[in-house]
Amino acid sequence: MRTLFTSESVTEGHPDKICDQISDAVLDAILKVDPMARVACECATTTGMILVMGEITTKSYVSIDKIARQKVLEIGYDRAKYGFDGNSCAVLVSVDEQSSDIAMGVDNALEGRAEHVFDIGAGDQGMMFGYASDETPEYMPLAIALAHRLTRQLAQARKDGEIPYLRPDGKAQVTVEYRDGIPLRVHTVVVSTQHAPDVTLSQITEDVLEKVIRRAIPAKWLDDETRYLINPTGRFVIGGPQGDSGLTGRKIIVDTYGGYGRHGGGAFSGKDPTKVDRSASYAARHAALNLVAAGLARCCEIGLAYAIGVAKPVSVTVDTFGTGVLPNDEMARLVKMSFDFRPAAIIDRMDLRRPIYAQTASYGHFGRLDLDLPWEKADHVKILQENLKELERKGQIRC
């Protein structure tokens, strides 16, 4: 049976991604001087304006206005003719402290209050999912992996001056054809890129095809029937915040698995690691990746659910979609034995109170072989294998 699956990615100049990057740049700046800070930083942007808002409790001071402007300039919006300029845009800041009602449960978890020991409670209720697949070396679904490669190459061609008329906003979409669940070929590639007004569509098409698509996507996935759609509207001059408003957390599928796995709905950027929307999603990805790396499943999805102020997740689920060496319920028993999903344990295990987040705010939080991210390490393979033998020895599972 043949099926199609499509995922998209966006460049760092996309208005939503501008907001994600500003939010995480503020977070990193605060964590650099105050690792125990509580940060929930949101951002919105539109023509000529940035609004930074949220709840931040910290002993430090950072210039949010300066951070926002610097990030916009780094992205490439540094002159008025691009429709947005970090030098001259308005930056509004509206920030308050974290609610004391929330802080009470985070500072001392329900379990700690009952047992008179300290533990961090989850910063909110919610569901988080982590996914991994053996389709690619980065343990990601092929469509989103290729889409990210396209947008990164598109941005690189602009920054290097190889395609000098490109501007920061852009997006890509890749449709992969599967046969019986195995990726067979790339069916369709869509690239839309902001550009200078005086360049022709034929020039854009030629340059993007040769200097972006063919460099980003390995030739083995392309064939004579692959369809290419480059700037299909015919013109993309007005882009960035001038063309569309932006908002932190509006690209959560781009940030994760391109729609291939479930998503609990919580965004990542601008949140410190006591927010399980972020840290537990990273922990779920870490567990799923290690299960696949250990050869226990070809693909795997880990589901976690939390109650606010409670440390231990209220549920841990595993779905290997029929590819696992164990039934899902037994796989979940192995996962719970091998990974501690309490927020404090996740933070300590991955050393998450560091300024490491701004680098994840564009081109995905997962599958980043270019970054040294703790949740992308296959460092629990041996633990899983040892625990598997122990559970089998006790008769609690059967391989």
Side-chain angles (χ1 to χ4, degrees), residues 322-382:
T323 70
V325 301
L326 299 171
N328 288 336
D329 60 336
E330 295 183 1
M331 196 72 84
R333 187 177 299 123
L334 173 63
V335 167
K336 287 187 281 188
M337 182 178 180
S338 305
F339 297 90
D340 189 341
F341 292 116
R342 293 175 300 163
I346 295 170
I347 291 169
D348 290 344
R349 182 167 70 247
M350 299 188 186
D351 192 15
L352 295 182
R353 295 191 186 276
R354 297 177 288 149
I356 60 173
Y357 300 106
Q359 61 186 343
T360 69
S362 53
Y363 311 116
H365 293 245
F366 307 124
R368 297 298 299 273
L369 299 180
D370 58 315
L371 303 177
D372 183 25
L373 300 175
W375 53 88
E376 293 297 300
K377 297 183 182 299
D379 54 6
H380 272 52
V381 168
K382 186 176 181 180

Side-chain angles (χ1 to χ4, degrees), residues 5-10 16-17 20 129 131 140-141 143-145 147-148 172-173 247-269 301 360-366:
F5 191 86
T6 303
S7 295
E8 75 157 347
S9 176
V10 299
D16 293 330
K17 273 292 145 206
D20 286 338
F129 294 93
Y131 181 84
M140 291 289 284
I144 187 65
H148 284 321
Q173 185 171 284
L247 188 65
T248 298
R250 199 156 55 184
K251 285 290 177 282
I252 56 177
I253 300 302
V254 173
D255 285 342
T256 53
Y257 310 102
Y260 211 92
R262 296 179 181 91
H263 198 294
F268 300 158
S269 290
E301 184 178 80
T360 69
S362 53
Y363 311 116
H365 293 245
F366 307 124

Side-chain angles (χ1 to χ4, degrees), residues 215-277:
R215 293 183 187 177
I217 301 180
K220 68 177 182 178
W221 297 116
L222 304 174
D223 58 31
D224 292 340
E225 296 183 1
T226 299
R227 188 183 185 197
Y228 303 100
L229 299 172
I230 299 171
N231 278 19
T233 67
R235 182 177 171 86
F236 186 1
V237 173
I238 300 173
Q242 183 185 26
D244 193 8
S245 59
L247 188 65
T248 298
R250 199 156 55 184
K251 285 290 177 282
I252 56 177
I253 300 302
V254 173
D255 285 342
T256 53
Y257 310 102
Y260 211 92
R262 296 179 181 91
H263 198 294
F268 300 158
S269 290
K271 296 178 181 177
D272 75 81
T274 66
K275 278 72 171 176
V276 285
D277 278 342

Side-chain angles (χ1 to χ4, degrees), residues 38 40 55 57 97-109 113 120-125 272 274-275 308-310:
R38 299 284 168 75
E55 297 78 43
T57 301
E97 291 188 344
Q98 183 185 60
S99 163
S100 58
D101 295 340
I102 296 174
M104 182 172 59
V106 176
D107 291 338
N108 193 5
R113 298 195 296 274
I120 295 175
D124 202 352
Q125 69 179 41
D272 75 81
T274 66
K275 278 72 171 176
I308 189 169
V310 181

Side-chain angles (χ1 to χ4, degrees), residues 29-57:
I30 293 172
L31 290 179
K32 187 175 182 179
V33 292
D34 183 7
M36 303 304 291
R38 299 284 168 75
V39 181
C41 180
E42 309 275 352
C43 181
T45 185
T46 188
T47 303
M49 189 190 80
I50 298 169
L51 169 62
V52 182
M53 54 196 161
E55 297 78 43
I56 299 175
T57 301

